[in-house]
Amino acid sequence: GLHGKPRNAWLKVLELWTVSPVFNILAGAAMALIVTTHGVLPEGSGAVLVDVAQKVHANHLLALFLSAVFAGALITAMTWFVEGQESIGVRVFVAWASGALLALAHLNHVIVVTIELIFGIRFGAHIPWLFVFGNLGLAALGNMVGGIGLVTLNRLTQGKQGERKVYGFRGAVMGPLDAPAKKPAKRGKR
């Protein structure tokens, strides 16, 4: 977490959760404007994107929120797996596999789904902009709940595991994992 980090660490988190999504969505919208211009993509490409956008729009709020929670947990787990690897091949595979799961399962990731909705609207999907912005907020909240929830659950279970390693079986104080538990000192006769 942020424990022991510089004071501006909270500002970096705030920047990550505000500035980064805004510019990602703006870049995605610009890309959508470019590639949805007549003739840029092959004929029929828009039908798939309209279908994706309409399926998102047809979902119930609870389904959209829970999908966003899972997407947030998935992206957080992917970040940990990527950061925990030194091999670039493993990093690329994990990022690709997580992105593929995110896309194939149509999970409600705040940036991905917002851009999909913009693509769908550009190709003729009748989705109100109010829904796009409403889902943006709902997906952001769900992604944070999923990501922060996974982090919190992980920290709680690591804390419990740490207690077990320190105290061992029946509260005996333990040393290194391969060292036996210390036995209480013998008392002399009085």
Side-chain angles (χ1 to χ4, degrees), residues 41-51 123:
L41 292 176
E43 189 69 31
S45 299
V48 173
L49 293 164
V50 167
D51 184 54
F123 277 118

Side-chain angles (χ1 to χ4, degrees), residues 52 55-56 59 67 100-109 113 116:
V52 167
K55 285 180 179 174
V56 170
N59 265 340
S67 174
L101 179 59
L102 189 74
L104 293 173
H106 296 284
L107 296 175
N108 196 6
H109 183 271
V113 170
E116 287 175 344

Side-chain angles (χ1 to χ4, degrees), residues 25-123:
I25 291 169
L26 288 175
M31 184 175 57
L33 288 173
I34 292 168
V35 300
T36 57
T37 301
H38 182 70
V40 175
L41 292 176
E43 189 69 31
S45 299
V48 173
L49 293 164
V50 167
D51 184 54
V52 167
Q54 288 174 337
K55 285 180 179 174
V56 170
H57 184 241
N59 265 340
H60 187 272
L61 283 177
L62 180 62
L64 288 169
F65 179 73
L66 293 177
S67 174
V69 169
F70 187 76
L74 174 66
I75 293 302
T76 300
M78 183 266 312
T79 302
W80 287 346
F81 295 146
V82 166
E83 289 297 318
Q85 294 297 320
E86 291 186 22
S87 165
I88 190 68
V90 173
R91 287 177 165 210
V92 168
F93 174 77
V94 169
W96 181 86
S98 299
L101 179 59
L102 189 74
L104 293 173
H106 296 284
L107 296 175
N108 196 6
H109 183 271
V110 64
I111 295 166
V112 174
V113 170
T114 301
I115 294 170
E116 287 175 344
L117 290 170
I118 292 169
F119 266 96
I121 290 170
R122 284 285 293 164
F123 277 118

Side-chain angles (χ1 to χ4, degrees), residues 177-190:
L177 294 178
D178 59 347
K182 294 180 183 177
K183 296 181 181 178
K186 294 182 180 179
R187 292 185 179 184
K189 292 184 180 178
R190 291 186 189 198

